[in-house]
Amino acid sequence: MVDGLDNVVFVTEDLPEDGSLDLLGLYDGVALTDRGQYGFGELPDRIILYRMPLLAISDDLDELKDQIHITLVHEIAHYYGIDDDELHRLGWG
């Protein structure tokens, strides 16, 4: 569990909507830094991992685990309001 994650679900899907193998994961929600009033009854944000793209870039189980870890860190960072430019600068792009 990651401290501070609230009202977030983690799901896997085979492919992104466009069917491409380019997207490994997606944060679908409103980042903490962009939230105004947030309270009872809000649908949960989602962090989606795309199974087929992750498998396509991984040669073995250890590499798949590494790619899943990197993708989760990347998408959780979006939950906290960290954008792609900052993630790339930090080495999590």
Side-chain angles (χ1 to χ4, degrees):
M1 178 177 231
V2 176
D3 287 339
L5 282 181
D6 186 33
N7 205 30
V8 179
V9 296
F10 293 82
V11 296
T12 59
E13 294 181 4
D14 284 337
L15 289 167
E17 285 184 20
D18 66 2
S20 76
L21 293 176
D22 297 330
L23 188 64
L24 304 178
L26 179 70
Y27 169 67
D28 179 27
V30 178
L32 287 180
T33 55
D34 296 332
R35 291 183 184 174
Q37 194 75 353
Y38 190 82
F40 181 76
E42 301 289 336
L43 290 176
D45 293 354
R46 297 186 315 151
I47 292 177
I48 306 165
L49 293 179
Y50 295 112
R51 187 178 63 83
M52 292 175 70
L54 285 161
L55 289 170
I57 65 165
S58 302
D59 293 327
D60 57 35
L61 184 58
D62 287 334
E63 191 172 342
L64 177 61
K65 288 177 184 179
D66 289 342
Q67 290 299 329
I68 290 170
H69 178 250
I70 291 166
T71 303
L72 284 172
V73 168
H74 185 102
E75 302 311 330
I76 291 169
H78 287 318
Y79 169 85
Y80 287 108
I82 300 171
D83 65 18
D84 283 329
D85 290 339
E86 183 67 6
L87 283 166
H88 283 279
R89 190 184 72 71
L90 295 169
W92 293 98

